[in-house]
Amino acid sequence: MSKGRIPVTILSGNLGAGKTTTLNHLLNESDDRDIAVLVNDMGTINVDAELIEDGTELTAENGVAELSNGCICCELQDDLRTEVSRLAREWEFDTLVVESSGISEPAPIARLFTTESRAAARYDVDTTVTLVSARQFRDFFDGDSPVERTETEDGETRPLSDLVIEQIEFCDVLVLNKCDLVTDEELDEIEATLRALQPRAELIRTEHGRVSPDKVLQRGLFDRDAVSDSAGWKRAMAHTGDHDHSPDHVHADHSHDHRHPEEIYGVSSVAYRRRRPFHPERLVDFFESLPDGIIRAKGTFWLAGQDWMMEYGQAGSSARVDTAGQWIASLPEIDQKLYRNNRSDLKWDEEWGDRETKLVFIGTNFDEDTIVAELDDCLLTDEEMDADWAGFENPFPQSEDGLLTFGE
């Protein structure tokens, strides 16, 4: 924590996770701290701010600031900068708690306080906290449940499960709330899944939002690089080997005498890395037939006949494929050299350049060997490698803003 700066706790979580109840509890139990609160609500009336004022002694005049009718991770960013600067100028307090709306991503909010800005000059991100409702958790990733959707900053919609995953993957503390509404066995299984999705964060079980202030305020836990790389899929990818022709499985460490929750509840992950392109039609068939047990998948892949790197992301029953920029190897040679000179860490193959596939799958009770074998079956055969790749039917996006969705 930089000297003289105000520590910030960012509180995220989906609608109904219990953020406002948790925040009210923190305020009422923090007698020795002077806390300011900034509440974001998507509605024109900031209901959360009113509930906080009703449940505590804070008011808009002495510690609660409101940002309504928008999301602070996107369209209200300028308002957020202005409001946190005003708070620091007009009031004296020990810590700031930012309660984001249920459809906000925590990463852009954290970036506001870590970039060159008036807000960053007065504050430091101290701890990022994500609330997860034990009662709702399985509903987000149940293949039989309707796919709830939320709107993004550019007016598009996205599955709510995708946002929930992003909130889980970017945090220092995971609060599993409403634990009284599910069985002990269900709790253990949910916790095992959360550990696979986010292995770095501290995990706290609670009921009715009763979290000790000492667990989430002025902890000094936030590390921008660590939290950005802490998602389970990123860690699994980081442990994949560089050998191009053997599967890389990533399991929990089972070398101890006791069994880990991930093993008990069948939670595992598999990372897949190859330097051979996929056949477009066979890969579509694979994505459309993934087992229900896959709750998270992420990565980039090489598609035959395509100069675009393809990005795959799945959360629950919904998945999407976007283009993620051109392969460096597809650029003119002079641009390739310039890029490679500036990226000494870029893995480069003499024949295929930077083209390769890197995918991670996380889930429960799925057969990892089957996933790898089915992906291998999607790769071009030796005969297809010598064929005209442009002749393959290709349902994937073939432009910079292309999109293909599955399970929606």
Side-chain angles (χ1 to χ4, degrees), residues 103 105 147-152 156-164 166 320 408:
I103 62 169
E105 301 168 36
V147 179
E148 295 185 72
R149 308 187 64 79
T150 186
E151 189 169 319
T152 65
E156 295 184 359
T157 60
R158 62 188 296 195
L160 188 56
S161 58
D162 195 38
L163 175 63
V164 171
E166 287 194 17
R320 57 189 287 149
E408 298 184 24

Side-chain angles (χ1 to χ4, degrees), residues 243-290:
H243 197 281
D244 293 335
H245 303 293
S246 62
D248 294 293
H249 293 228
V250 181
H251 303 278
D253 179 4
H254 303 315
S255 59
H256 303 293
D257 292 335
H258 65 281
R259 297 177 69 202
H260 288 255
E262 291 89 342
E263 182 182 6
I264 295 172
Y265 294 100
V267 180
S268 60
S269 62
V270 57
Y272 181 88
R273 189 169 185 170
R274 296 290 188 273
R275 280 194 183 270
R276 178 173 284 221
F278 285 121
H279 188 286
E281 289 185 297
R282 291 202 295 273
L283 188 61
V284 163
D285 291 340
F286 169 82
F287 285 148
E288 288 180 338
S289 60
L290 275 175

